[in-house]
Amino acid sequence: MITLNASEKFGKGLHRECFVHPDNDNLCIKVVTYGNQQETKREQGYYKQLQKRNVAWDLLPKFHGNVETSMGQGAIFDLIRDPDGQISKTLEYYLDDKDFVLTHRQQLESALAELRQYLLKYNIMSMAMKPKNILYQLSKSGQGKLFIIDNIGNSDFIPICNYVPFLANKKIVRRWNRFIFKLAL
Ligand SMILES: Nc1ncnc2c1ncn2[C@@H]1O[C@H](COP(=O)(O)OP(=O)(O)OP(=O)(O)O)[C@@H](O)[C@H]1O
Ligand SMILES: [Mg+2]
């Protein structure tokens, strides 16, 4: 049983709160604070499929299982940090900064292209891609990396795409195009 303290809390979405793992600075623990465990179950089911397929965890935080915490069940993931040790911020955060976008357009575009390639290579689906659910990990000299932290998987009633890579690829491209269109970089 792990005791989570307010001081370790660093992130909050509509459903979950994120804490730095008290015993490991490179892991985070996510606990559900609004709603039930349905979405957690679905997400972990999809992670299981990815583990079976042996995907590389290059741009997706690796899942390390569940633990009992003082706030209920917690899910352990890689914690994404920038080279200076700061916890990486979301793409939404950077897009809100017009100066940053102006001066880093090329890096952002390359990082986006890399994420697209990664998703297609490993056939990783996202239900809806949103800048708040993508982290932009800065890099000292290069383009940085974009990590998907939420909403991966397939919400179709009959998820045939999960078994037909060709259909999954087409869907990934469709979702990706929608995402890029909305970004309007
Ligand atoms: N692996 C991670 N590494 C670093 N920061 C993270 C990580 N996962 C989540 N965060 C931070 O915590 C915040 C909330 O996490 P997450 O998106 O998983 O919560 P959620 O409640 O499921 O979100 P939503 O509001 O989209 O439903 C993120 O916006 C991000 O800032
Ligand atoms: Mg989120």
Side-chain angles (χ1 to χ4, degrees):
M1 160 96 164
I2 291 180
T3 306
L4 297 174
N5 297 307
S7 59
E8 289 142 2
K9 183 167 128 184
F10 67 88
K12 185 175 167 44
L14 294 173
H15 308 94
R16 303 188 282 193
E17 288 183 358
C18 304
F19 296 80
V20 178
H21 194 303
D23 304 326
N24 186 338
D25 276 356
N26 291 311
L27 296 176
C28 67
I29 302 180
K30 295 193 186 188
V31 292
V32 174
T33 49
Y34 182 80
N36 57 31
Q37 297 289 334
Q38 260 324 100
E39 172 51 24
T40 301
K41 275 195 196 143
R42 193 205 53 73
E43 176 177 72
Q44 295 187 5
Y46 194 67
Y47 260 99
K48 217 175 249 169
Q49 289 184 33
L50 298 181
Q51 285 159 0
K52 257 195 226 154
R53 283 204 266 124
N54 257 318
V55 310
W57 307 103
D58 297 349
L59 301 179
L60 186 66
K62 192 173 175 184
F63 172 59
H64 297 276
N66 294 302
V67 275
E68 256 332 293
T69 79
S70 50
M71 294 185 63
Q73 180 185 279
I76 306 176
F77 293 91
D78 286 341
L79 174 56
I80 309 303
R81 291 182 183 271
D82 292 338
D84 65 358
Q86 296 267 6
I87 295 170
S88 298
K89 296 185 181 66
T90 65
L91 179 59
E92 180 179 55
Y93 169 91
Y94 287 108
L95 292 180
D96 281 346
D97 181 345
K98 297 298 166 224
D99 281 342
F100 183 91
V101 175
L102 272 176
T103 49
H104 293 76
R105 179 180 299 275
Q106 213 154 30
Q107 284 100 314
L108 281 168
E109 277 175 1
S110 305
L112 282 164
E114 192 191 1
L115 178 61
R116 181 181 185 276
Q117 270 315 102
Y118 170 76
L119 297 177
L120 286 170
K121 177 172 181 191
Y122 293 106
N123 250 315
I124 297 170
M125 288 197 275
S126 168
M127 300 189 291
M129 305 199 47
K130 294 177 189 162
K132 73 162 181 168
N133 287 324
I134 296 174
L135 292 183
Y136 187 42
Q137 181 188 50
L138 304 177
S139 103
K140 283 212 172 97
S141 51
Q143 68 191 25
K145 284 183 181 175
L146 293 165
F147 286 81
I148 300 217
I149 51 159
D150 193 7
N151 257 333
I152 61 159
N154 185 354
S155 56
D156 291 352
F157 183 58
I158 300 171
I160 188 153
C161 287
N162 295 1
Y163 307 97
V164 188
F166 163 74
L167 292 179
N169 249 265
K170 281 180 63 160
K171 193 162 209 150
I172 292 166
V173 170
R174 273 207 308 277
R175 295 252 158 87
W176 183 267
N177 290 343
R178 217 173 291 163
F179 165 63
I180 293 296
F181 181 74
K182 278 198 198 149
L183 272 192
L185 252 189

